[in-house]
Amino acid sequence: MTLPARTDWIAFTVSAGLVGLVCLGLVINPDAGAVLLPQIYDFVAEKIGPLYLALGVVLIGFLFWLALSRYGQVRLGGQEAVEEFNTLGWAAMLFCAGIGAGLMYWAAIEWAYYFQTPPFGLPQGTPEAIEWASAYGLFHWGPSAWAFYCLPTLAIGYAYHNRGVPFLRLSTGCAGVPGFGAHQPLGRIVDTIFMVSLLGGAGTSLGFSTPMIAALAARIMGVAPSFGLEVATLVITMVLFALSAAAGLRKGIQRLSDLNVGLIFAFLLLVFIAGPTGLFIEAGITGYGLVAQNFIRLNTWAEPFGDTRFVIDWTIFYWAWWIAYGPVVGLFVARISRGRTIRQVIFGMIGYGTLGAGLFFVILGNYGLNLQLTGAVDVVEQLNADGGAQAIVAIMDALPLDVWAMGLFAVAAVVFSATTYDSASYILASSATQSLPAGQDPALWQRLFWAAMLGALPVTLLFVGGLRVVQTAALIASAPVVLIGLVMARSLMTQLSEDFSSPGSAPDGDPDPQPME
């Protein structure tokens, strides 16, 4: 029997109310918020930050074991399930949902921070320090990042497609653990935490990308950047999202994702051809070689005897961001992954995600670094004087066909932001819906409402101001999700072991029916 898609007013009201109170408090007293939030960041990062590094190592090991084990061939939806989307469309949607326009921001200038404060206490300006400035972004946006997305994808996807749990929400991934059902007390707590953390994670991404898009628009139009222009940028992005939302999942998000991939790779091709092509190839080989050779060190370096704050300010921030945003990516990719095996999901997400993000750093990042090293543009000075958005504008100005290239980059960033709104609001609406059978979408009005809430948080963060303020939103949002991740891992393994209990048998058929959550 198909259950109606009705609004879960408890989840809806509690989540919207909490986020609304946070935004209201920051708007009423932004000065206090600007002081308090960085203090919270330092406290949380120093106390539990190393735990994030340990979890990253354990998670990568667990996922690779799972993919290569007998469970790797289990198909989401059952062994006879057919893939709903072709591989190219699936890869485009998971990539766009997983990174957003924040990738375009950081790929352009992340190297500039490492250029000034190299990792491992290396002296600034040495060849080794410059190589790490080029390569470290490949690590932060590489396999470890996408591993944080994989766990919720599998835990939710298996319960939703194989166990018949009719709820597309985070508690679905915890359904194998007693007490964590969607309408049980612990399950409701999980879903409320998730919805608030999702707004924090997505708000962080939009908080980085919005000033960049506004600065690019100001340069193209020849006007001064302003807070009002940043708000207008968010509104335009939300309008584009609304058109996509009205079209539905297949005609909306998939087409928007396909368009976005085409736009951004057209831009990267332009930079690759117009820029120092040989340098891109050399830097890419060197960068991936450095990361591969030092992968264990990078994942376990907690800087216990140093005081550069490199790990606290960067790796722990990134891991917190991935953890906070991981559930929304997991829910969305779980929704679109029916018919794919666990092995395909793990290697597909880690592989496509890592290679796609890496192209940005290899091409766009090294283009900016080359401008700095050759003296063509002092990107570091621009960054320190006027912020990241203006530094990116300076990099775009150095491209051939500068205004046209800048326009292509800006349009791609707007579409990236729209896909972030689309996928995040889709999952928020799903989480505030009492039941959502496979193939059914949540109500359009809910998706539009949550898009507005997604816009409210970055506007508030921009109003308070500062990189650390935006970073703090991700760190605070991630802390409770860490514990939920442990529950999801146990839930997934409990369900798999129950459904395929014979140690020597390969799961090449459908398991015995299990009671629906």
Side-chain angles (χ1 to χ4, degrees):
M1 178 180 177
T2 301
L3 300 174
R6 295 178 298 173
T7 300
D8 186 335
W9 289 107
I10 295 178
F12 182 93
T13 305
V14 172
S15 303
L18 285 174
V19 174
L21 287 174
V22 170
C23 292
L24 182 63
L26 291 176
V27 169
I28 291 175
N29 199 341
D31 293 336
V35 173
L36 179 62
L37 289 177
Q39 292 175 348
I40 295 174
Y41 182 93
D42 288 341
F43 177 81
V44 177
E46 291 172 4
K47 295 299 182 182
I48 67 171
L51 175 63
Y52 286 26
L53 303 180
L55 285 174
V57 174
V58 172
L59 183 56
I60 290 175
F62 169 72
L63 288 173
F64 273 86
W65 168 82
L66 185 62
L68 298 176
S69 73
R70 65 194 186 96
Y71 298 123
Q73 59 187 303
V74 173
R75 193 174 300 277
L76 299 183
Q79 296 306 108
E80 302 301 321
V82 178
E83 295 175 2
E84 186 176 357
F85 301 95
N86 61 45
T87 299
L88 182 61
W90 179 74
M93 284 193 287
L94 76 86
F95 179 70
C96 292
I99 48 90
L103 172 62
M104 301 176 71
Y105 178 92
W106 286 113
I109 62 165
E110 188 171 328
W111 63 268
Y113 290 96
Y114 308 154
F115 185 88
Q116 299 176 81
T117 308
F120 312 122
L122 295 170
Q124 181 182 348
T126 61
E128 186 179 5
I130 293 172
E131 286 183 354
W132 275 114
S134 169
Y136 223 98
L138 298 174
F139 166 64
H140 282 153
W141 295 75
S144 301
W146 290 90
F148 286 116
Y149 292 165
C150 272
L151 176 60
T153 298
L154 295 173
I156 296 164
Y158 189 80
Y160 184 67
H161 292 298
N162 296 66
R163 282 297 191 98
V165 178
F167 313 104
L168 194 58
R169 49 178 65 179
L170 190 58
S171 60
T172 300
C174 305
V177 178
F180 282 88
H183 295 301
Q184 295 175 315
L186 291 176
R188 284 203 171 278
I189 292 173
V190 165
D191 289 331
T192 301
I193 290 173
F194 157 66
M195 294 178 73
V196 175
S197 69
L198 189 163
L199 287 159
T204 300
S205 180
L206 296 167
F208 287 133
S209 60
T210 300
M212 175 189 70
I213 298 170
L216 293 168
R219 171 67 179 81
I220 293 170
M221 296 185 295
V223 300
S226 65
F227 179 72
L229 186 58
E230 292 176 356
V231 175
T233 299
L234 276 171
V235 172
I236 292 172
T237 304
M238 290 174 63
V239 169
L240 181 59
F241 149 75
L243 295 175
S244 172
L249 181 61
R250 184 177 294 276
K251 293 182 179 179
I253 298 179
Q254 183 180 11
R255 290 183 179 178
L256 202 59
S257 299
D258 291 344
L259 170 64
N260 197 33
V261 169
L263 287 173
I264 195 57
F265 282 106
F267 172 81
L268 290 177
L269 181 61
L270 170 64
V271 178
F272 183 77
I273 295 174
T277 305
L279 173 68
F280 295 150
I281 298 173
E282 294 168 356
I285 294 172
T286 301
Y288 275 114
L290 275 175
V291 172
Q293 294 168 36
N294 295 274
F295 191 70
I296 295 177
R297 182 189 186 190
L298 292 171
N299 276 282
T300 56
W301 180 48
E303 200 178 12
F305 307 112
D307 57 359
T308 67
R309 291 183 57 91
F310 188 93
V311 174
I312 287 178
D313 286 345
W314 293 108
T315 304
I316 290 176
F317 153 65
Y318 269 121
W319 274 208
W321 191 4
W322 307 142
I323 291 170
Y325 199 54
V328 67
V329 178
L331 278 157
F332 183 76
V333 178
R335 166 64 182 83
I336 65 174
S337 295
R338 182 178 179 84
R340 297 186 181 276
T341 65
I342 288 177
R343 185 175 298 130
Q344 286 175 324
V345 171
I346 293 173
F347 289 146
M349 291 186 72
I350 292 178
Y352 291 126
T354 297
L355 292 176
L359 280 177
F360 283 78
F361 284 90
V362 169
I363 298 176
L364 184 56
N366 284 307
Y367 181 78
L369 177 57
N370 184 62
L371 293 176
Q372 180 73 36
L373 295 176
T374 59
V377 178
D378 194 341
V379 180
V380 172
E381 175 63 27
Q382 185 79 51
L383 172 68
N384 295 334
D386 301 313
Q390 292 302 321
I392 293 172
V393 171
I395 293 172
M396 295 297 109
D397 269 332
L399 282 169
L401 304 173
D402 54 347
V403 175
W404 291 100
M406 195 178 301
L408 179 60
F409 185 80
V411 170
V414 169
V415 178
F416 249 137
S417 296
T419 57
T420 298
Y421 273 120
D422 211 342
S423 55
S425 62
Y426 184 97
I427 294 308
L428 281 165
S430 299
S431 297
T433 301
Q434 287 190 5
S435 64
L436 192 69
Q440 187 172 339
D441 294 333
L444 177 60
W445 74 266
Q446 269 224 60
R447 296 172 66 186
L448 295 175
F449 171 83
W450 289 113
M453 294 297 290
L454 283 166
L457 187 57
V459 166
T460 305
L461 296 175
L462 292 171
F463 182 70
V464 176
L467 172 63
R468 184 57 60 83
V469 170
V470 182
Q471 288 179 318
T472 304
L475 188 65
I476 295 174
S478 69
V481 180
V482 171
L483 298 177
I484 297 172
L486 299 177
V487 177
M488 285 192 293
R490 180 187 172 189
S491 173
L492 175 62
M493 293 312 302
T494 297
Q495 291 175 334
L496 284 171
S497 62
E498 287 176 352
D499 291 348
F500 306 101
S501 57
S502 175
S505 64
D508 54 0
D510 292 328
D512 294 332
Q514 298 290 332
M516 191 171 63
E517 180 67 27

